[in-house]
Amino acid sequence: MVHNGIIENWRELAEQLRTEGHTFVSDTDTEVIAHLVERELSGGCSLAAAVRATLREVRGAFALAVMCAGEPGTIVAGRRVSPLIIGMGDGESGEGLLASDIPALLGRTRRFWVLDDDQVVVLRPGSMLVTTLQGKEVEPKELHVDWDLEAAEKGGYPDFMGKEIHEQPRAIADTLLGRLLADGTVELDEFRITDDELRHVDKVFVVACGSSYHAGMVAKYAIERLARLRTEIDIASEFRYRDPVLDDRTLVVGVSQSGETIDTLQAMREARQWDAKIMVISNVVDSSMAREADGVLYTRAGPEVGVAATKTHLTQVVALELLALYLAQLRGFAEPADARVLFADLARLPELVERALAPGRDAEVAEIAGKFADTRDFFFLGRHVGFPVALEGALKLKEISYLRAEGYPAGELKHGPIALIVPGTVVVGVATRTHLWEKMMGNVAEVRARGATVVLVANEGDEETAAQADEVLWVPRTHPLFAPVIDVVPLQLLAYHIARAHGHDVDRPRNLAKTVTVE
Ligand code: AGP
């Protein structure tokens, strides 16, 4: 048996099973399921009936698959909350496949179905039968997947993360395609929320986890600045337990590349209870969140295999910028003169990210990374939209290099963290030209004065910034609101090269799952 999730009533079930004579070899919720299935099988029923009966007894979140020696060639699987995708190989003896998400199966088949909550599937070579927990047959929902196999291969790169970082210009161009129109307006497809409903909105909550949360932070700056609409950003696992004030004039935007992260999914369900309008920014067509939301805006990054989010993060920022522009278009731009410049700059992002990734630039970052191969502690600082960039840069380094990396808003440094700056501490600052550049440089001076080694992300040709740095990560300049899309690129590369210098598997960092389907 394979189980992903948490069975909440496992202790009471285990207690009962022990009194019936079952002997446990572990202290896990998963083992309880195996014993329950065994109990049903010993009553003489089929494996499918045994799994259905078991799932009627358990509470919690699970995706599980069960096989038994008495029924070779059969896999019975079921789910509640945690996602489960079914794949079928071609031909009569086609293999049955199960996984949490599509990229895991892309190399094996192009035919996918999704299992809904409290459904059970029986897979045999070439056949599949989906039923409810009561055994009633149901039609499985086929998934439309236009990702190709090539997208799930390394294509000459040593790892998926490297390939996915370099796919970012294409991913951004695809995400903008057909949405940023030549006449300088934004059109959002698959949106399913009417313009009138959006005009009715008086507050936006963005909820997400990890890198998606950092993308969401950028939305707060963009929506408030462009559309003058109150916007809050929340970590999904906090949002649902803190009694947020929501009503039918609230728009809740879930940001999740997988569309399956349990914290974000449950936060959206919580918001639904308050009659809020729900939309999701997801990279996976027909993901659980996409199916449940009122509106969906797909990032078109293609499958992301590396555990560390790169191209999905950048395209989330782009999608959120599109949403901000769309809301501003509907409600009137706070500063109408802005619109034309913004549209032109947004359209140029693929080209600018390409420049940030040019072979020469990549080699420069690799060289800088080599100098910090022995450094154990990093500070990442930024202000305004540079703050989420700093957080994302720090997260990338933590995830794949296992090094301590703290992201801070630079202005907050003097309120405590500056105590940690000593000669040789490495500080990575986002110092591209925004209206807070001077203030940021003031913070850089504070850490330099305490002997920090300073690495700055700076705009190409900005020698004034470079003069204050020990090392420079050069990036092209864009509108400050879009700078997070470009400025994070050298930080992804820095984390990538440092991790590789340490000999780590950047695609499969320890302790991490690509999609977090447990609370
Ligand atoms: C990012 O590098 C991480 N792997 C992680 O923080 C991720 O962004 C988070 O788990 C959210 O995932 P989601 O976008 O699929 O919801």
Side-chain angles (χ1 to χ4, degrees), residues 209-212 256-258 261 307-309 316 395-396 399 516:
C209 306
S211 293
S212 300
S256 172
Q257 74 81 21
S258 62
T261 300
V307 164
Q316 284 168 346
L395 180 63
K396 289 288 89 90
E399 284 188 292
V516 183

Side-chain angles (χ1 to χ4, degrees), residues 13-136:
L13 290 169
E15 203 51 44
Q16 188 187 326
L17 286 159
R18 279 197 188 92
T19 62
E20 292 171 20
H22 289 258
T23 307
F24 283 77
V25 295
S26 72
D27 200 22
T28 62
D29 55 342
T30 299
E31 192 183 344
V32 168
I33 305 169
H35 285 279
L36 287 171
V37 172
E38 181 192 35
R39 181 172 75 180
E40 297 298 327
L41 284 174
S42 62
C45 66
S46 67
L47 180 62
V51 171
R52 287 195 292 261
T54 297
L55 299 189
R56 290 197 296 267
E57 281 199 60
V58 298
R59 288 200 309 271
F62 54 81
L64 56 88
V66 189
M67 297 177 76
C68 79
E71 287 186 46
T74 302
I75 308 174
V76 180
R79 69 161 280 209
R80 184 180 300 150
V81 183
S82 302
L84 197 60
I85 304 294
I86 307 163
M88 262 292 165
D90 293 328
E92 270 185 26
S93 60
E95 58 195 345
L97 303 150
L98 294 161
S100 293
D101 57 14
I102 294 163
L105 301 181
L106 267 185
R108 308 295 291 266
T109 184
R110 299 294 310 280
R111 297 162 63 214
F112 300 99
W113 291 263
V114 63
L115 203 61
D116 270 338
D117 271 354
D118 287 329
Q119 289 185 345
V120 166
V121 60
V122 181
L123 288 171
R124 296 198 180 91
S127 84
M128 138 178 112
L129 175 72
V130 178
T131 68
T132 63
L133 291 189
Q134 285 67 40
K136 184 171 175 292

Side-chain angles (χ1 to χ4, degrees), residues 208-214 255-262 264 281 289 304 306-310 312 316 392 395-396 399 512-516:
C209 306
S211 293
S212 300
Y213 174 76
H214 300 153
V255 186
S256 172
Q257 74 81 21
S258 62
E260 304 292 350
T261 300
I262 201 76
T264 312
I281 305 231
M289 286 181 217
E304 188 174 71
V307 164
T310 52
T312 57
Q316 284 168 346
E392 179 62 8
L395 180 63
K396 289 288 89 90
E399 284 188 292
L512 296 177
K514 180 69 184 159
T515 305
V516 183

